[in-house]
Structure formats: C-alpha cells, structure tokens
Amino acid sequence: KAGVTQTPRYLIKTRGQQVTLSCSPISGHRSVSWYQQTPGQGLQFLFEYFSETQRNKGNFPGRFSGRQFSNSRSEMNVSTLELGDSALYLCASSLIRGGEQYFGPGTRLTVT
Amino acid sequence: GIQVEQSPPDLILQEGANSTLRCNFSDSVNNLQWFHQNPWGQLINLFYIPSGTKQNGRLSATTVATERYSLLYISSSQTTDSGVYFCAARGGSGGGADGLTFGKGTHLIIQP
C-alpha cells in the first residue's frame, strides 16, 4: 500500500506571495493532519481534517488554512508569506481520528 | 494542552551499546507514538504505544500511562540508528481534540 505523498517536495517563494501544498493520504485513511517543523519551535500541529471538515486547529494565524476533498486528499494554503514561514511542512494520515498517524516526506518551503 | 518532555536531549554512544530514551507527558493520553526522523526529514513510525510494551527487533518501548512516561530502548546500537527520535502524544481528555504534541527530540549519535 502506498504511503502518504506530498507535493511539491521543495518550494522557494518570496515574501508576500501565497503557496498551496498538497497531501494524498494512505488509501482508506480519512483523517489528515498538518504539522510545521522549524529549528526554533520544533514540530507544531497546524490542523486536522476529517470527512472534509476541519476538526482541530493549532495556534497559527488565519493566514494558514486548508481543506479536504471527498477523496480525503488535502491541501494547505499559506497567504502573505513571511520569512518565518520557512519550514518543513509535514502531512500525516490516520485511519480514524486519534489513531496511529503516518507521515509523508514533507514539503520544504523557503521564503526569501 | 498536553506537555511532552524528552530526555536526554543529546546522546553519544559507541556501536554495540544499549540506550534508553525517556518521554514524560503531563496528562492522560489516547495516542503515544515514537518516531525516528531520517536525514531527509521524514518521520518513520517506530511504535504506537499509548500503554503497555512492544518489541520490534532491537527496539522496544514501554508506556506506563498511570505514571505518565514512556521509554524507548535500543539494543546493540548500529551507526544507522543515528538521528533524532521524537515522542508525540495526543491528550485523552476532551475527546482527543488536539493533534499530536511533540517533544523536542533526542539527538542520538552512534560512533563506529
């Protein structure tokens, strides 16, 4: 069974731009969560989607948003990029909410 | 929300040695996972262990939920075991309303 896939793997953007990252969960998994990893703050929870609805959100500004489609694929969007948004963005899927999470390879975003 | 603390932050061992990594958490959990982050950033699942003991080859883990800690044991360390090990937990109260909370990790270096 294929693992969690994320695209693109690397991205360079300029301050003020917006970006969209994509995540395809493991087949059959309905819960998708997003995390941000930075050297200073470590790994932090962004949000969780289940059945096309955002169920939880971490402590991030409204510039961070996401959505989930009927096939469970998910996208996250960051608008008005700031230098501090440079990070590794990780997507995880699980069969059920609260279940074991499996992570994708991540998208490394650099904002210049 | 739940707090997760890992110790030690850094650990340097010789090949063949055994190691114990500790994870303390501040509240009851319904999900506790151990991960190994590879050099490319991907989180590799080691154990899903909200309670009890599990073993997988040279690795084993124990979670004592009543005392709010988990231990990861690595026996007969190999250089390929080097990397950062993360513990992550999801609180059991409030219906598991949050995503995984990660510790800051243990950076393990195995010297030949």
Side-chain angles (χ1 to χ4, degrees):
Chain A
K1 184 181 281 190
V4 179
T5 59
Q6 293 187 244
T7 56
R9 295 292 311 279
Y10 302 91
L11 206 49
I12 299 175
K13 289 287 188 179
T14 304
R15 271 180 302 174
Q17 290 185 316
Q18 74 166 19
V19 66
T20 299
L21 312 181
S22 180
C23 171
S24 292
I26 292 171
S27 177
H29 285 198
R30 297 173 59 197
S31 175
V32 173
S33 298
W34 289 88
Y35 296 82
Q36 181 197 63
Q37 185 177 26
T38 60
Q41 299 300 317
L43 277 150
Q44 294 183 285
F45 169 70
L46 276 160
F47 26 64
E48 176 196 12
Y49 285 87
F50 183 82
S51 293
E52 303 177 62
T53 301
Q54 186 181 94
R55 302 293 176 157
N56 296 299
K57 185 175 169 78
N59 189 25
F60 280 83
R63 299 185 297 106
F64 292 81
S65 63
R67 58 178 175 169
Q68 186 180 34
F69 302 95
S70 59
N71 61 358
S72 295
R73 190 176 70 83
S74 177
E75 290 180 346
M76 69 162 281
N77 184 277
V78 187
S79 63
T80 318
L81 284 165
E82 302 177 358
L83 295 179
D85 297 332
S86 294
L88 179 66
Y89 290 88
L90 293 163
C91 167
S93 75
S94 60
L95 191 60
I96 57 173
R97 294 192 66 209
E100 184 175 6
Q101 295 194 14
Y102 296 85
F103 282 78
T107 294
R108 194 168 295 276
L109 172 66
T110 301
V111 182
T112 61
Chain B
I2 193 169
Q3 307 296 315
V4 177
E5 293 184 358
Q6 292 185 244
S7 60
D10 301 284
L11 187 57
I12 301 174
L13 298 172
Q14 294 296 121
E15 200 167 23
N18 300 329
S19 57
T20 301
L21 282 58
R22 187 177 179 101
C23 172
N24 292 333
F25 43 92
S26 61
D27 202 351
S28 60
V29 297
N30 59 20
N31 180 345
L32 189 134
Q33 293 185 241
W34 284 95
F35 299 93
H36 179 205
Q37 189 165 39
N38 69 20
W40 297 273
Q42 181 154 11
L43 291 170
I44 308 299
N45 287 42
L46 297 178
F47 294 101
Y48 170 75
I49 189 165
S51 64
T53 297
K54 291 185 178 180
Q55 180 158 6
N56 184 4
R58 296 183 295 105
L59 274 60
S60 63
T62 295
T63 297
V64 183
T66 53
E67 297 188 23
R68 298 181 181 168
Y69 73 88
S70 183
L71 301 174
L72 176 68
Y73 304 98
I74 305 174
S75 64
S76 305
S77 298
Q78 301 174 358
T79 56
T80 52
D81 294 331
S82 296
V84 184
Y85 290 79
F86 288 102
C87 168
R90 181 169 177 150
S93 57
D98 301 319
L100 288 173
T101 297
F102 282 79
K104 294 187 183 300
T106 291
H107 187 195
L108 177 64
I109 297 174
I110 305 298
Q111 296 178 333

